[in-house]
């Protein structure tokens, strides 16, 4: 797995954590974020509101189709389902 280049701020309660424990914590966070930030999860958590056709696209493959375009058409909006 490719390690993403990101800055993480990790606050720990235990001031006696050694360097290896902190590195392990950061590695686990990176693995978790890699899964959570995938395109499949993004498509499951969002929907497309198309005011041109007065439709809401909720299916993941339709959401993926729209977001992979170079730019959204006018009056197409990406909404988070939360």
């Amino acid at each position: 797995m490719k390690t993403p280049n990101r800055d993480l701020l990790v606050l720990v309660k235990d001031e006696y954590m050694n360097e290896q424990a902190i590195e392990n914590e950061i590695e686990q966070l990176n693995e978790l974020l890699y899964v959570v930030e995938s395109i499949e999860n993004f498509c499951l958590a969002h929907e497309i509101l198309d005011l041109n056709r007065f439709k809401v696209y909720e299916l993941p493959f339709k959401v993926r189709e729209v977001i992979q375009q170079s730019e959204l058409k006018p009056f197409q909006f990406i909404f988070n389902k939360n």
Side-chain angles (χ1 to χ4, degrees), residues 3-58:
T3 307
N5 185 11
R6 71 172 88 226
D7 294 328
L8 292 176
L9 176 62
V10 180
L11 302 174
V12 292
K13 287 173 124 178
D14 187 9
E15 61 189 49
Y16 301 108
M17 280 183 80
N18 61 9
E19 191 68 29
Q20 184 181 8
I22 293 172
E23 289 295 323
N24 187 26
E25 188 83 20
I26 290 172
E27 180 62 33
Q28 289 176 352
L29 282 172
N30 276 326
E31 289 176 12
L32 178 72
L33 289 172
Y34 181 78
V35 172
V36 171
E37 293 175 339
S38 70
I39 190 73
E40 290 83 20
N41 287 331
F42 180 86
C43 292
L44 287 172
H46 290 78
E47 61 189 9
I48 305 297
L49 177 62
D50 189 351
L51 293 180
N52 298 320
R53 296 186 176 139
F54 301 105
K55 288 191 173 189
V56 177
Y57 298 108
E58 295 180 353

